[in-house]
Amino acid sequence: GDWVCRKGEDADALFVIVEGTAHVVLPWLEGGVDLAAGQIFGEACLLRGGTRQADVRAKGGLVLLRIAEADLQRIVEEHGNVHGVLFDLLVKRLVTNTLQTSSLFLAFDPKQRKRLACMFEVRLAPEGCWLQEEGKRSDGLYLLLVGEFAAVNGEDRVSLPLATMIGHRSLLSQEVATRTVEALSESIVLRLPGSQFGAFAMQYPPALAHLSELAAQPLIG
């Protein structure tokens, strides 16, 4: 029951589960998700200016290896390939979790989810990057994985929760986006290029129907 970390705290360490189970509380997923021995969390510390994205607590007894951000940085400097290996492992976990939890993929069986995911690309969005710009058509469908994001309209700035989809409204309507969406910190997103959206829509009608429902709601994108 002890808290390992809380959402919004500075991402100052990476955690490896040695023994036991860690329960991750995800605001967009009822019941959260459990991580077991050998799995890693705290990936936000690999991003500049990262903060914790979720609450994590021990589910029963839990033994962790905690690697402080400063120590991790020294390891990366001495062994240049470590960052790439960790980043790849964490991206795979993020994508796997997304396939299991995102409403975009829930209408499909596991094999279909993997084929659908292959149409998306993982992108590292630097701080200040615009994922879409007000007054212009979106260049893709984005799913926010890790980081901090905001929708901007003049002086109005609204934080966007992780797992939010953006760009779908512009792609469906062929109209320009009504708000700019900015990465407030170095972040990770899934992106389906706009050039592939037509093929995606034809191959996966249930996903298209879900995006159409979202576009009809008062949701940014």
Side-chain angles (χ1 to χ4, degrees), residues 6 12 32-33 35 54 56 60 64 73 106 110 115 124 151 153 160 187 203 206 215 219:
R6 303 302 298 264
D12 59 355
V33 64
L35 301 178
V56 182
L64 295 166
Q73 184 60 39
L106 291 183
R115 289 198 297 270
L124 182 64
N153 185 1
L160 296 177
S187 305
Q203 292 181 49
L219 184 68

Side-chain angles (χ1 to χ4, degrees), residues 38-59:
Q39 292 186 285
I40 298 171
F41 64 92
E43 64 276 357
C45 77
L46 295 174
L47 305 174
R48 297 185 184 89
T51 58
R52 298 294 181 202
Q53 307 296 309
D55 296 329
V56 182
R57 71 188 315 164
K59 188 175 182 179

Side-chain angles (χ1 to χ4, degrees), residues 14-29:
L14 184 72
F15 295 93
V16 184
I17 302 175
V18 177
E19 182 179 334
T21 302
H23 180 71
V24 184
V25 181
L26 301 171
W28 65 89
L29 178 66

